[in-house]
Amino acid sequence: DTGVSQDPRHKITKRGQNVTFRCDPISEHNRLYWYRQTLGQGPEFLTYFQNEAQLEKSRLLSDRFSAERPKGSFSTLEIQRTEQGDSAMYLCASSTGIGDTQYFGPGTRLTVL
Amino acid sequence: TQLLEQSPQFLSIQEGENLTVYCNSSSVFSSLQWYRQEPGEGPVLLVTVVTGGEVKKLKRLTFQFGDARKDSSLHITAAQPGDTGLYLCAGGGWITGGGNKLTFGTGTQLKVEL
């Protein structure tokens, strides 16, 4: 069990650029979650996958955001036309569904200049 | 909208002191988790409580879930510098497909000094 991994750990981009983050969940975890955490706040739910199906999306996920989990394993989160307000830590978590304890990755810190 | 309020927001204590962090809501949760987060890292799960009135102990940490499953507390005995970090409570809520959407509190930043 190598834990949840996220790549990159840090991303600095200019306003208007597109960025993509990757999350590799714990092996055999069929559930995957994305959260966003801004400075001084707790994480906020963005979206949820069960296998390859995206089953729930938060209203925080504007049309500039898209998430995929094409083969039910790794997931990507893309932000198009980034804005300064997108600056945050993007966290990924996975679970087996048994008790649904979520294990978090180290996060991707996004800074939009 | 479900909200979780944590108190205190900040806590600075000396090594060896005891402390309690509170997590309160007007909503009922299916479960409640406590996490600790270090700067620049993701939250690390400490405990999950499910049953109203449940008490769990993890070495010097004692977690309690309120009878009505709306509130929880974390008590640390004889705090050590290694306990320093951001403590987050998170309430679970079932969503489509059996997923569990976590609603996080605002966190308690704990600093334990020598």
Side-chain angles (χ1 to χ4, degrees), chain B residues 28-61:
Chain B
V28 175
F29 292 98
S30 59
S31 64
L32 198 134
Q33 286 86 41
W34 283 93
Y35 291 84
R36 188 172 79 192
Q37 187 175 25
E38 304 287 345
E41 299 293 331
V44 175
L45 180 69
L46 297 174
V47 78
T48 299
V49 284
V50 177
T51 306
E54 184 175 2
V55 176
K56 281 192 174 179
K57 292 190 175 183
L58 185 66
K59 296 183 180 178
R60 295 177 293 101
L61 277 61

mmCIF file of all heavy atoms in Angstrom, chain B residues 28-61:
data_model
loop_
_atom_site.group_PDB
_atom_site.id
_atom_site.type_symbol
_atom_site.label_atom_id
_atom_site.label_comp_id
_atom_site.label_asym_id
_atom_site.label_seq_id
_atom_site.Cartn_x
_atom_site.Cartn_y
_atom_site.Cartn_z
ATOM 1 N N VAL B 28 -27.116 16.414 11.611
ATOM 2 C CA VAL B 28 -26.738 15.046 11.992
ATOM 3 C C VAL B 28 -25.852 14.468 10.893
ATOM 4 O O VAL B 28 -26.139 14.627 9.704
ATOM 5 C CB VAL B 28 -27.985 14.158 12.164
ATOM 6 C CG1 VAL B 28 -27.581 12.717 12.448
ATOM 7 C CG2 VAL B 28 -28.862 14.705 13.285
ATOM 8 N N PHE B 29 -24.799 13.799 11.294
ATOM 9 C CA PHE B 29 -23.888 13.175 10.340
ATOM 10 C C PHE B 29 -23.904 11.664 10.493
ATOM 11 O O PHE B 29 -24.102 11.143 11.581
ATOM 12 C CB PHE B 29 -22.464 13.702 10.528
ATOM 13 C CG PHE B 29 -22.313 15.146 10.148
ATOM 14 C CD1 PHE B 29 -22.343 16.142 11.120
ATOM 15 C CD2 PHE B 29 -22.154 15.519 8.827
ATOM 16 C CE1 PHE B 29 -22.212 17.482 10.772
ATOM 17 C CE2 PHE B 29 -22.025 16.854 8.477
ATOM 18 C CZ PHE B 29 -22.060 17.829 9.447
ATOM 19 N N SER B 30 -23.663 10.971 9.378
ATOM 20 C CA SER B 30 -23.621 9.507 9.417
ATOM 21 C C SER B 30 -22.368 9.020 10.138
ATOM 22 O O SER B 30 -22.352 7.919 10.697
ATOM 23 C CB SER B 30 -23.663 8.946 7.998
ATOM 24 O OG SER B 30 -22.563 9.436 7.244
ATOM 25 N N SER B 31 -21.321 9.818 10.097
ATOM 26 C CA SER B 31 -20.071 9.485 10.772
ATOM 27 C C SER B 31 -19.302 10.768 10.982
ATOM 28 O O SER B 31 -19.635 11.800 10.384
ATOM 29 C CB SER B 31 -19.223 8.511 9.940
ATOM 30 O OG SER B 31 -18.829 9.128 8.721
ATOM 31 N N LEU B 32 -18.273 10.696 11.792
ATOM 32 C CA LEU B 32 -17.438 11.863 11.972
ATOM 33 C C LEU B 32 -15.988 11.414 12.036
ATOM 34 O O LEU B 32 -15.667 10.449 12.743
ATOM 35 C CB LEU B 32 -17.823 12.629 13.243
ATOM 36 C CG LEU B 32 -17.287 14.063 13.251
ATOM 37 C CD1 LEU B 32 -18.358 15.041 13.668
ATOM 38 C CD2 LEU B 32 -16.069 14.182 14.113
ATOM 39 N N GLN B 33 -15.162 12.085 11.272
ATOM 40 C CA GLN B 33 -13.744 11.768 11.254
ATOM 41 C C GLN B 33 -12.939 12.934 11.837
ATOM 42 O O GLN B 33 -13.343 14.083 11.723
ATOM 43 C CB GLN B 33 -13.249 11.530 9.816
ATOM 44 C CG GLN B 33 -13.692 10.219 9.209
ATOM 45 C CD GLN B 33 -15.044 10.316 8.557
ATOM 46 O OE1 GLN B 33 -15.319 11.309 7.905
ATOM 47 N NE2 GLN B 33 -15.874 9.298 8.710
ATOM 48 N N TRP B 34 -11.820 12.597 12.430
ATOM 49 C CA TRP B 34 -10.837 13.597 12.846
ATOM 50 C C TRP B 34 -9.562 13.354 12.048
ATOM 51 O O TRP B 34 -9.101 12.215 11.935
ATOM 52 C CB TRP B 34 -10.545 13.499 14.339
ATOM 53 C CG TRP B 34 -11.611 14.088 15.198
ATOM 54 C CD1 TRP B 34 -12.677 13.447 15.757
ATOM 55 C CD2 TRP B 34 -11.711 15.446 15.625
ATOM 56 N NE1 TRP B 34 -13.440 14.322 16.490
ATOM 57 C CE2 TRP B 34 -12.868 15.554 16.435
ATOM 58 C CE3 TRP B 34 -10.936 16.596 15.414
ATOM 59 C CZ2 TRP B 34 -13.267 16.762 17.022
ATOM 60 C CZ3 TRP B 34 -11.325 17.793 15.990
ATOM 61 C CH2 TRP B 34 -12.479 17.867 16.795
ATOM 62 N N TYR B 35 -9.018 14.442 11.507
ATOM 63 C CA TYR B 35 -7.785 14.404 10.741
ATOM 64 C C TYR B 35 -6.784 15.379 11.355
ATOM 65 O O TYR B 35 -7.155 16.364 11.989
ATOM 66 C CB TYR B 35 -8.021 14.835 9.287
ATOM 67 C CG TYR B 35 -8.826 13.881 8.441
ATOM 68 C CD1 TYR B 35 -10.216 13.901 8.454
ATOM 69 C CD2 TYR B 35 -8.185 12.967 7.598
ATOM 70 C CE1 TYR B 35 -10.956 13.045 7.664
ATOM 71 C CE2 TYR B 35 -8.918 12.097 6.802
ATOM 72 C CZ TYR B 35 -10.303 12.147 6.835
ATOM 73 O OH TYR B 35 -11.029 11.291 6.042
ATOM 74 N N ARG B 36 -5.489 15.097 11.115
ATOM 75 C CA ARG B 36 -4.453 16.070 11.422
ATOM 76 C C ARG B 36 -3.702 16.376 10.136
ATOM 77 O O ARG B 36 -3.402 15.469 9.353
ATOM 78 C CB ARG B 36 -3.459 15.543 12.464
ATOM 79 C CG ARG B 36 -2.496 16.626 12.942
ATOM 80 C CD ARG B 36 -1.666 16.155 14.093
ATOM 81 N NE ARG B 36 -0.563 15.319 13.633
ATOM 82 C CZ ARG B 36 0.187 14.591 14.432
ATOM 83 N NH1 ARG B 36 -0.060 14.567 15.736
ATOM 84 N NH2 ARG B 36 1.171 13.873 13.946
ATOM 85 N N GLN B 37 -3.431 17.657 9.931
ATOM 86 C CA GLN B 37 -2.780 18.082 8.702
ATOM 87 C C GLN B 37 -1.544 18.903 9.012
ATOM 88 O O GLN B 37 -1.594 19.844 9.804
ATOM 89 C CB GLN B 37 -3.758 18.907 7.856
ATOM 90 C CG GLN B 37 -3.238 19.267 6.482
ATOM 91 C CD GLN B 37 -4.279 19.978 5.638
ATOM 92 O OE1 GLN B 37 -5.196 20.613 6.170
ATOM 93 N NE2 GLN B 37 -4.159 19.888 4.321
ATOM 94 N N GLU B 38 -0.436 18.534 8.361
ATOM 95 C CA GLU B 38 0.802 19.290 8.476
ATOM 96 C C GLU B 38 0.869 20.283 7.320
ATOM 97 O O GLU B 38 0.259 20.057 6.271
ATOM 98 C CB GLU B 38 2.007 18.335 8.416
ATOM 99 C CG GLU B 38 1.989 17.229 9.464
ATOM 100 C CD GLU B 38 2.302 17.733 10.854
ATOM 101 O OE1 GLU B 38 2.808 18.862 10.991
ATOM 102 O OE2 GLU B 38 2.022 16.998 11.820
ATOM 103 N N PRO B 39 1.615 21.364 7.465
ATOM 104 C CA PRO B 39 1.715 22.361 6.381
ATOM 105 C C PRO B 39 2.176 21.727 5.068
ATOM 106 O O PRO B 39 3.132 20.960 5.048
ATOM 107 C CB PRO B 39 2.758 23.348 6.925
ATOM 108 C CG PRO B 39 2.683 23.207 8.404
ATOM 109 C CD PRO B 39 2.381 21.759 8.665
ATOM 110 N N GLY B 40 1.453 22.013 3.990
ATOM 111 C CA GLY B 40 1.844 21.519 2.674
ATOM 112 C C GLY B 40 1.545 20.056 2.417
ATOM 113 O O GLY B 40 1.983 19.507 1.402
ATOM 114 N N GLU B 41 0.814 19.425 3.323
ATOM 115 C CA GLU B 41 0.482 18.007 3.173
ATOM 116 C C GLU B 41 -1.023 17.805 3.235
ATOM 117 O O GLU B 41 -1.770 18.693 3.644
ATOM 118 C CB GLU B 41 1.147 17.174 4.281
ATOM 119 C CG GLU B 41 2.661 17.251 4.278
ATOM 120 C CD GLU B 41 3.274 16.597 3.052
ATOM 121 O OE1 GLU B 41 2.670 15.648 2.503
ATOM 122 O OE2 GLU B 41 4.366 17.049 2.641
ATOM 123 N N GLY B 42 -1.480 16.610 2.829
ATOM 124 C CA GLY B 42 -2.888 16.296 2.937
ATOM 125 C C GLY B 42 -3.258 15.868 4.346
ATOM 126 O O GLY B 42 -2.388 15.505 5.138
ATOM 127 N N PRO B 43 -4.539 15.910 4.679
ATOM 128 C CA PRO B 43 -4.983 15.472 6.013
ATOM 129 C C PRO B 43 -4.710 13.979 6.214
ATOM 130 O O PRO B 43 -4.881 13.182 5.296
ATOM 131 C CB PRO B 43 -6.491 15.746 5.984
ATOM 132 C CG PRO B 43 -6.710 16.707 4.869
ATOM 133 C CD PRO B 43 -5.665 16.390 3.853
ATOM 134 N N VAL B 44 -4.325 13.623 7.434
ATOM 135 C CA VAL B 44 -4.088 12.231 7.797
ATOM 136 C C VAL B 44 -5.160 11.816 8.793
ATOM 137 O O VAL B 44 -5.350 12.477 9.820
ATOM 138 C CB VAL B 44 -2.685 12.049 8.402
ATOM 139 C CG1 VAL B 44 -2.493 10.612 8.888
ATOM 140 C CG2 VAL B 44 -1.616 12.404 7.369
ATOM 141 N N LEU B 45 -5.851 10.724 8.494
ATOM 142 C CA LEU B 45 -6.948 10.276 9.339
ATOM 143 C C LEU B 45 -6.447 9.825 10.709
ATOM 144 O O LEU B 45 -5.500 9.050 10.818
ATOM 145 C CB LEU B 45 -7.679 9.121 8.669
ATOM 146 C CG LEU B 45 -8.869 8.547 9.446
ATOM 147 C CD1 LEU B 45 -10.012 9.547 9.474
ATOM 148 C CD2 LEU B 45 -9.315 7.230 8.843
ATOM 149 N N LEU B 46 -7.122 10.315 11.767
ATOM 150 C CA LEU B 46 -6.830 9.878 13.125
ATOM 151 C C LEU B 46 -7.846 8.832 13.586
ATOM 152 O O LEU B 46 -7.474 7.788 14.125
ATOM 153 C CB LEU B 46 -6.850 11.068 14.093
ATOM 154 C CG LEU B 46 -5.802 12.153 13.854
ATOM 155 C CD1 LEU B 46 -6.037 13.327 14.790
ATOM 156 C CD2 LEU B 46 -4.403 11.585 14.047
ATOM 157 N N VAL B 47 -9.126 9.123 13.373
ATOM 158 C CA VAL B 47 -10.171 8.224 13.866
ATOM 159 C C VAL B 47 -11.475 8.476 13.128
ATOM 160 O O VAL B 47 -11.702 9.562 12.598
ATOM 161 C CB VAL B 47 -10.375 8.441 15.379
ATOM 162 C CG1 VAL B 47 -11.196 9.703 15.637
ATOM 163 C CG2 VAL B 47 -11.041 7.256 16.038
ATOM 164 N N THR B 48 -12.312 7.459 13.088
ATOM 165 C CA THR B 48 -13.687 7.575 12.590
ATOM 166 C C THR B 48 -14.621 7.112 13.696
ATOM 167 O O THR B 48 -14.407 6.050 14.279
ATOM 168 C CB THR B 48 -13.918 6.701 11.353
ATOM 169 O OG1 THR B 48 -13.045 7.123 10.306
ATOM 170 C CG2 THR B 48 -15.357 6.826 10.870
ATOM 171 N N VAL B 49 -15.631 7.920 14.001
ATOM 172 C CA VAL B 49 -16.651 7.512 14.958
ATOM 173 C C VAL B 49 -17.996 7.484 14.250
ATOM 174 O O VAL B 49 -18.270 8.345 13.410
ATOM 175 C CB VAL B 49 -16.701 8.439 16.204
ATOM 176 C CG1 VAL B 49 -15.524 8.133 17.124
ATOM 177 C CG2 VAL B 49 -16.677 9.916 15.816
ATOM 178 N N VAL B 50 -18.781 6.491 14.578
ATOM 179 C CA VAL B 50 -20.014 6.248 13.829
ATOM 180 C C VAL B 50 -21.259 6.265 14.726
ATOM 181 O O VAL B 50 -22.302 6.776 14.350
ATOM 182 C CB VAL B 50 -19.926 4.900 13.087
ATOM 183 C CG1 VAL B 50 -21.223 4.602 12.364
ATOM 184 C CG2 VAL B 50 -18.768 4.897 12.118
ATOM 185 N N THR B 51 -21.126 5.709 15.914
ATOM 186 C CA THR B 51 -22.283 5.535 16.791
ATOM 187 C C THR B 51 -22.398 6.689 17.786
ATOM 188 O O THR B 51 -21.399 7.086 18.386
ATOM 189 C CB THR B 51 -22.154 4.211 17.568
ATOM 190 O OG1 THR B 51 -21.949 3.147 16.637
ATOM 191 C CG2 THR B 51 -23.395 3.950 18.391
ATOM 192 N N GLY B 52 -23.612 7.209 17.968
ATOM 193 C CA GLY B 52 -23.830 8.266 18.942
ATOM 194 C C GLY B 52 -23.352 7.842 20.313
ATOM 195 O O GLY B 52 -23.649 6.725 20.741
ATOM 196 N N GLY B 53 -22.603 8.706 21.001
ATOM 197 C CA GLY B 53 -22.085 8.382 22.318
ATOM 198 C C GLY B 53 -20.775 7.611 22.295
ATOM 199 O O GLY B 53 -20.185 7.342 23.349
ATOM 200 N N GLU B 54 -20.311 7.269 21.116
ATOM 201 C CA GLU B 54 -19.090 6.459 20.994
ATOM 202 C C GLU B 54 -17.861 7.218 21.498
ATOM 203 O O GLU B 54 -17.722 8.411 21.262
ATOM 204 C CB GLU B 54 -18.895 6.064 19.531
ATOM 205 C CG GLU B 54 -17.716 5.146 19.270
ATOM 206 C CD GLU B 54 -17.659 4.706 17.804
ATOM 207 O OE1 GLU B 54 -18.505 5.155 17.002
ATOM 208 O OE2 GLU B 54 -16.760 3.910 17.471
ATOM 209 N N VAL B 55 -16.992 6.508 22.183
ATOM 210 C CA VAL B 55 -15.722 7.047 22.647
ATOM 211 C C VAL B 55 -14.604 6.146 22.135
ATOM 212 O O VAL B 55 -14.679 4.930 22.267
ATOM 213 C CB VAL B 55 -15.655 7.122 24.187
ATOM 214 C CG1 VAL B 55 -14.273 7.612 24.643
ATOM 215 C CG2 VAL B 55 -16.746 8.022 24.739
ATOM 216 N N LYS B 56 -13.606 6.752 21.516
ATOM 217 C CA LYS B 56 -12.445 5.987 21.043
ATOM 218 C C LYS B 56 -11.173 6.622 21.589
ATOM 219 O O LYS B 56 -11.068 7.852 21.659
ATOM 220 C CB LYS B 56 -12.400 5.959 19.510
ATOM 221 C CG LYS B 56 -13.350 4.972 18.872
ATOM 222 C CD LYS B 56 -13.044 4.781 17.399
ATOM 223 C CE LYS B 56 -13.911 3.696 16.805
ATOM 224 N NZ LYS B 56 -13.635 3.503 15.361
ATOM 225 N N LYS B 57 -10.228 5.750 21.953
ATOM 226 C CA LYS B 57 -8.949 6.237 22.463
ATOM 227 C C LYS B 57 -7.824 5.784 21.547
ATOM 228 O O LYS B 57 -7.797 4.640 21.086
ATOM 229 C CB LYS B 57 -8.723 5.731 23.889
ATOM 230 C CG LYS B 57 -9.668 6.341 24.904
ATOM 231 C CD LYS B 57 -9.257 6.005 26.330
ATOM 232 C CE LYS B 57 -10.171 6.733 27.319
ATOM 233 N NZ LYS B 57 -9.781 6.502 28.729
ATOM 234 N N LEU B 58 -6.930 6.709 21.303
ATOM 235 C CA LEU B 58 -5.763 6.441 20.469
ATOM 236 C C LEU B 58 -4.575 7.011 21.222
ATOM 237 O O LEU B 58 -4.251 8.189 21.117
ATOM 238 C CB LEU B 58 -5.916 7.114 19.102
ATOM 239 C CG LEU B 58 -4.856 6.846 18.039
ATOM 240 C CD1 LEU B 58 -4.905 5.395 17.618
ATOM 241 C CD2 LEU B 58 -5.083 7.751 16.835
ATOM 242 N N LYS B 59 -3.941 6.154 22.039
ATOM 243 C CA LYS B 59 -2.834 6.572 22.903
ATOM 244 C C LYS B 59 -3.280 7.742 23.768
ATOM 245 O O LYS B 59 -4.162 7.594 24.608
ATOM 246 C CB LYS B 59 -1.608 6.920 22.057
ATOM 247 C CG LYS B 59 -1.054 5.714 21.290
ATOM 248 C CD LYS B 59 0.209 6.059 20.523
ATOM 249 C CE LYS B 59 0.720 4.827 19.784
ATOM 250 N NZ LYS B 59 1.934 5.126 18.984
ATOM 251 N N ARG B 60 -2.721 8.921 23.591
ATOM 252 C CA ARG B 60 -3.066 10.063 24.441
ATOM 253 C C ARG B 60 -4.266 10.862 23.903
ATOM 254 O O ARG B 60 -4.654 11.870 24.488
ATOM 255 C CB ARG B 60 -1.854 10.994 24.560
ATOM 256 C CG ARG B 60 -0.648 10.379 25.270
ATOM 257 C CD ARG B 60 0.557 11.320 25.284
ATOM 258 N NE ARG B 60 1.072 11.511 23.933
ATOM 259 C CZ ARG B 60 0.823 12.590 23.192
ATOM 260 N NH1 ARG B 60 0.073 13.570 23.665
ATOM 261 N NH2 ARG B 60 1.328 12.678 21.979
ATOM 262 N N LEU B 61 -4.857 10.401 22.823
ATOM 263 C CA LEU B 61 -5.985 11.111 22.220
ATOM 264 C C LEU B 61 -7.283 10.375 22.518
ATOM 265 O O LEU B 61 -7.359 9.155 22.359
ATOM 266 C CB LEU B 61 -5.792 11.201 20.702
ATOM 267 C CG LEU B 61 -4.909 12.315 20.139
ATOM 268 C CD1 LEU B 61 -3.476 12.210 20.655
ATOM 269 C CD2 LEU B 61 -4.941 12.289 18.625
#
